[in-house]
Amino acid sequence: MSIFNDLLAETNNEYAGIADDGVEAGDVSGYIGTGSYAMNALLSGSIFGGLPENKVTAFAGEPSVGKTFYALNVRYQFLDDNPNGFVFYFESESAISKQFLTDRGIDTKRVAIVPVATVQEFRTQAVKILDRYTSNKDRPPMLFVLDSLGNLSTEKEMQDIADGKDTRDMTRAQLIRGAFRVLTLKLGKAKVPLIVTNHVYDVTGAYIPTKKMGGGSGLEYAASTIVFLSKKKDKDKDGTISGAIITALLKKSRMTIENKKVETRLEYQYGLDPYYGLLDLALKFDIFKKVSTRIELPDGSKAFESQIEKDPEKYFTKDILLAIDEHCKAEFLYGKTNLTEVDEEA
């Protein structure tokens, strides 16, 4: 096989290698938890997984749907899992403050806030950081967040505004495609995950109501995972709005089945409920059974749904979590038993 290695060396391609040795910029090196068991399963096929730690993941949705919240939650988990890791937060909406991060338990000493106004600024600064990062042999884990792509302008648009011109910049989508073409391989090579939040809009003239991400096709092609978020109000029994139920629809994935969806719950007082959505999975997998108005557990005991929601740790024991996780492989991963069960209405 020496000629094989010699020919490979002739490419002079730093990203090339023998597949049996692992695809350095392609193989998933690990996962970052999202703070929700159900969301983890949707993204990775395991409730103990999450989003891939060396890929581009996009959270898209309308304003105030929870995009930034999920980006913050992943950032918190990343820093918690990596005591020597750090985050570069490219911020285009001027919505983040030190107090905002501190209130959410995020170590602000390991987070760099990088304001960016244009696609070119984000591209240039991200590439410079990545090049310097990969030049060091001993480097701690690093995470990139762009919040948000939809709010990035272009140098041409800013100059037009300064000149009083009211013309649309037709180069923006092309600039975004170019930025992600450059960044995707560099991120994979460096094993640096990138989380991108983005806006969506309604497609005009579509026969079926359809939403699409802004910014053209650049992020659609570059992202390994794209999740569309939508929400509805979550009310207490007395009608008080206590939070939101956030539905996550998997629009694109290179690892799990597309068009699957799960529900998660954001409580305004306590934050993201990690267990919300597990009951639906346990019932679907026949680990729990619905008997009249109550839920029957594997040991034969019964409980009301409200009891399980109030004290989830009591009912979702380690054995139950492992049983749910085993079924999630067939439910969410490609090549398993239920590929015909994808929700076509999505």
Side-chain angles (χ1 to χ4, degrees), residues 264-277:
T264 63
R265 179 166 62 191
L266 173 60
E267 297 177 292
Y268 294 149
Q269 185 175 359
Y270 303 106
L272 190 66
D273 180 353
Y275 292 93
Y276 192 85

Side-chain angles (χ1 to χ4, degrees), residues 244-261:
I245 303 298
I246 300 174
T247 299
L249 170 63
L250 193 61
K251 293 294 289 186
K252 177 186 176 181
S253 177
R254 291 174 180 158
M255 290 162 289
T256 50
I257 300 172
E258 294 176 358
N259 290 323
K260 291 282 188 178
K261 59 185 175 183

Side-chain angles (χ1 to χ4, degrees), residues 143-159:
L143 168 70
F144 276 5
V145 179
L146 171 59
D147 185 19
S148 69
L149 175 64
N151 207 46
L152 285 180
S153 182
T154 65
E155 291 177 359
K156 181 180 184 305
E157 183 179 52
M158 296 187 76
Q159 185 60 53

Side-chain angles (χ1 to χ4, degrees), residues 95-106 108-109 113:
I96 301 297
S97 66
K98 178 181 178 180
Q99 190 62 48
F100 184 85
L101 299 176
T102 302
D103 289 344
R104 286 151 183 81
I106 294 173
T108 55
K109 293 180 180 179
I113 304 297

